[in-house]
């Protein structure tokens, strides 16, 4: 059952991504990207990251994509002729993306057992449950503290400094966006 | 260990989505669509983080939170730049934006 759901949403994500790249109309592109992000949110939840799945919907779909649609409609660029690049660029795309797919699709063969063997530099019979103590601890923390608590505790303890730096980044982004959106640039 | 972690398929799906994003960046001339393809690549990386966070603890999920923040900041600044460019050239076609070309 879980496998069926996973592959269903995986197929939807790939379809949405492909249509996002190929659609001529930017609004249609944004809508297909939205379907990809919804599918990815479902996959995140399936992979045990419930909070991230919800945040994916709230932040990516609810905020970022809406800003994209807002700009598309503000600029009124929906009706344009094809904006695909020329044949040279098409060839480069096929070569680069094809190579990436071929290289990275080898990851399909990765299993927890093989990952554990790679990390422990042990022969093939390394035990994933023993190598990935952190993962097991995280699952126990989720069971004890709930989904949000298990993520909040490390966020505000181990990763406190990066978290604070993030606020500076957001402040800089706000100021930059305001300055750039001024009339006289 | 949960019985089905989908590690390999998740990483492969992440690879496919990332490659589609790269293809979009290389293929399209519309600056807004190009930005959307960058978001697609960020999402693909997020999927890889989540898939591996099943084994390495909450660090991967927290990294996804940071990626989302950076994506939001990038979208805000990038779209503001696109707006400024549109005011100059009345177009978001990257072929018309060649002021820096020597």
């Amino acid at each position: 059952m879980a496998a069926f759901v996973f592959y269903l949403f995986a197929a939807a994500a790939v379809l949405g991504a492909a249509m996002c790249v190929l659609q001529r109309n930017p609004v249609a592109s944004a809508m297909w990207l939205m379907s990809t992000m919804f599918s990815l949110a479902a996959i995140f939840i399936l992979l045990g990251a419930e909070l991230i799945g919800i945040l994916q919907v709230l932040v990516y779909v609810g905020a970022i994509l809406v800003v994209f649609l807002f700009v598309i409609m503000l600029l009124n660029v929906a009706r344009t002729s094809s904006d695909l690049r020329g044949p040279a660029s098409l060839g480069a795309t096929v070569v680069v993306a094809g190579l990436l797919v071929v290289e990275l699709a080898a990851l399909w063969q990765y299993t927890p057992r093989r990952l554990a063997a790679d990390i422990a530099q042990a022969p093939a019979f390394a035990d994933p449950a023993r190598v990935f103590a952190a993962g097991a601890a995280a699952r126990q923390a989720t069971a004890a503290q709930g989904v949000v608590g298990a993520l909040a505790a490390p966020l505000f303890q181990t990763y406190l400094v990066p978290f604070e730096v993030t606020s500076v980044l957001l402040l800089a982004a706000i100021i930059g966006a305001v300055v750039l959106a001024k009339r006289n640039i | 260990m949960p019985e089905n972690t989908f590690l390999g398929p998740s990483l492969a799906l992440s690879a496919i989505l990332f490659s589609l994003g790269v293809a979009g960046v290389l293929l399209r001339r519309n600056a807004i669509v190009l930005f959307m393809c960058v978001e697609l690549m960020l999402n693909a990386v997020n999927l890889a983080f989540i898939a591996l966070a099943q084994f390495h603890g909450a660090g991967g999920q927290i990294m996804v939170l940071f990626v989302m923040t950076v994506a939001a900041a990038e979208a805000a600044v990038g779209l503001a730049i696109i707006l400024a460019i549109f005011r100059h050239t009345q177009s978001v076609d990257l072929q018309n934006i060649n002021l820096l070309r020597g």
Side-chain angles (χ1 to χ4, degrees):
Chain A
M1 184 60 198
F4 173 73
V5 173
F6 179 88
Y7 287 112
L8 182 72
F9 282 114
V14 171
L15 174 73
M19 294 305 281
C20 169
V21 170
L22 295 176
Q23 280 288 326
R24 184 174 300 175
N25 188 336
V27 177
S29 267
M31 289 301 172
W32 280 108
L33 187 61
M34 186 179 290
S35 89
T36 296
M37 284 169 172
F38 270 125
S39 310
L40 278 178
I43 288 176
F44 289 173
I45 291 173
L46 200 62
L47 294 180
E50 290 87 357
L51 181 65
I52 303 290
I54 300 298
L55 283 179
Q56 166 96 356
V57 173
L58 286 181
V59 174
Y60 266 114
V61 181
I64 296 181
L65 266 182
V66 169
V67 172
F68 272 105
L69 284 173
F70 178 75
V71 169
I72 292 171
M73 291 172 178
L74 182 72
L75 302 185
N76 199 14
V77 290
R79 283 177 301 279
T80 50
S81 54
S82 173
D83 68 330
L84 293 182
R85 289 182 194 267
S89 194
L90 184 66
T93 305
V94 170
V95 170
V96 171
L99 271 179
L100 263 177
V101 167
V102 169
E103 285 172 0
L104 296 175
L107 294 170
W108 198 282
Q109 301 164 358
Y110 253 98
T111 59
R113 191 166 292 277
R114 184 164 164 205
L115 188 67
D118 280 1
I119 287 177
Q121 298 193 328
F125 42 80
D127 182 11
R130 191 154 308 162
V131 175
F132 300 121
R139 267 189 297 282
Q140 278 173 3
T142 306
Q145 299 171 303
V147 173
V148 180
L151 209 54
L155 181 61
F156 290 112
Q157 288 162 6
T158 317
Y159 297 92
L160 182 62
V161 176
F163 180 76
E164 295 294 340
V165 172
T166 299
S167 65
V168 179
L169 172 75
L170 282 176
L171 180 67
I174 292 170
I175 295 174
V178 169
V179 169
L180 280 170
K182 270 182 155 177
R183 274 276 152 226
N184 51 7
I185 291 268
Chain B
M1 194 71 28
E3 68 244 47
N4 208 344
T5 57
F6 297 109
L7 177 64
S10 294
L11 292 178
L13 174 65
S14 152
I16 292 169
L17 290 179
F18 190 88
S19 308
L20 280 169
V22 170
V25 168
L26 289 174
L27 265 183
R28 302 297 296 261
R29 288 198 319 248
N30 189 326
I32 299 175
V33 178
L34 203 130
F35 258 100
M36 288 198 272
C37 292
V38 173
E39 298 292 335
L40 183 62
M41 285 196 271
L42 288 172
N43 255 302
V45 173
N46 283 353
L47 177 59
F49 270 125
I50 296 281
L52 288 166
Q54 293 174 96
F55 309 102
H56 294 287
Q61 297 193 21
I62 286 168
M63 204 55 71
V64 171
L65 283 182
F66 291 146
V67 171
M68 278 183 182
T69 319
V70 171
E74 174 238 335
V77 175
L79 289 173
I81 291 175
I82 289 177
L83 273 177
I85 287 173
F86 186 81
R87 260 190 239 124
H88 258 286
T89 63
Q90 296 303 311
S91 152
V92 289
D93 194 325
L94 292 178
Q95 262 194 343
N96 302 334
I97 306 167
N98 48 15
L99 282 177
L100 285 182
R101 187 171 291 168

